[in-house]
Amino acid sequence: MIEHAKVNGDWEIDPAHTRIGFSAKHAMVTTVRGAFNDITGHLHVDTEQPEKSWAKVSMEVSSIDTRSPQRDEHLRSADFFDAEKWQQITFVSTQIEEVDDRAFGVTGELTIRDVTRQVMIPLALTGIETGAYGELRAGFEGSRRLNRRDFGLEWNTPLDSGGVLVSEKITLEFEISAVKTQPEQSDEGGQGD
């Protein structure tokens, strides 16, 4: 059971303890994982009036990290994310609903490159604990499969077998640590900017 008094309020994503990443099949046989290292995000939770809850997350495309500098540079290029032209990937919620105990459906607008699409991201609240410095922390995890071509990420190379080098379906992966902010620190007037 969620302690509503603890979860209600404003939260800021802790990038040092958060991973927002992705996985895709490479050459039809292995899974390659990556993440964005530069993340900012804010959440406002109101369990009494869920329609007033919102979330906004931004990732710097140039911070992409797949543990391969050559692959990272290719992903930053115009073949994929075109980081020089579109520096950020953003998600702005339009609706957050509690679908089960500790489980939420976060629907919003995901913008990659110049394409914005509405997606629903299922997130589970993994816990709320007081951290080492007295801060209240909440953990959320979830994943969502998308077709990268829907966002203009179309580059590929055919394989002799008839397959492709990079899968069209990718999985977004969320492991989020958020820290509750004090009311005097929050000057949000409605949806965050």
Side-chain angles (χ1 to χ4, degrees):
M1 193 79 174
I2 296 174
E3 292 183 53
H4 289 184
K6 278 189 175 181
V7 80
N8 282 340
D10 292 295
W11 299 80
E12 190 164 327
I13 288 178
D14 174 5
H17 297 95
T18 293
R19 180 181 178 273
I20 298 180
F22 56 90
S23 62
K25 285 289 184 191
H26 178 261
M28 312 280 294
V29 294
T30 59
T31 300
V32 171
R33 296 184 192 286
F36 296 92
N37 293 329
D38 190 353
I39 304 164
T40 57
H42 307 277
L43 315 167
H44 175 77
V45 181
D46 186 334
T47 56
E48 299 301 315
Q49 296 178 288
E51 68 278 4
K52 292 187 175 180
S53 296
W54 56 267
K56 182 174 182 179
V57 179
S58 179
M59 295 157 281
E60 293 294 325
V61 174
S62 63
S63 74
I64 197 165
D65 183 0
T66 64
R67 300 183 309 122
S68 167
Q70 183 179 355
R71 180 170 50 227
D72 295 346
E73 281 306 312
H74 190 201
L75 289 169
R76 290 181 190 114
S77 78
D79 282 346
F80 285 98
F81 291 108
D82 202 350
E84 196 170 303
K85 194 169 185 183
W86 293 291
Q87 291 90 18
Q88 296 180 327
I89 294 171
T90 60
F91 177 82
V92 179
S93 69
T94 54
Q95 179 182 5
I96 298 176
E97 57 184 334
E98 188 175 355
V99 294
D100 202 349
D101 188 35
R102 302 171 80 90
F104 301 88
V106 182
T107 301
E109 295 182 340
L110 177 63
T111 301
I112 301 174
R113 291 175 57 110
D114 59 343
V115 179
T116 300
R117 296 205 181 275
Q118 184 163 296
V119 298
M120 191 283 288
I121 299 169
L123 287 177
L125 174 66
T126 57
I128 299 176
E129 290 291 339
T130 301
Y133 302 101
E135 77 282 13
L136 193 61
R137 289 185 170 271
F140 299 90
E141 290 185 358
S143 65
R144 172 64 199 261
R145 220 172 127 126
L146 297 175
N147 187 328
R148 64 185 176 88
R149 294 176 68 94
D150 291 344
F151 293 90
L153 302 171
E154 306 212 8
W155 182 91
N156 225 330
T157 296
L159 300 174
D160 290 342
S161 65
V164 290
L165 186 63
V166 182
S167 61
E168 292 183 2
K169 296 285 188 177
I170 61 158
T171 301
L172 301 180
E173 303 162 339
F174 304 91
E175 298 159 8
I176 298 170
S177 176
V179 177
K180 195 167 192 181
T181 60
Q182 299 303 319
E184 62 270 16
Q185 294 175 326
S186 175
D187 57 353
E188 301 286 349
Q191 295 247 341
D193 47 71

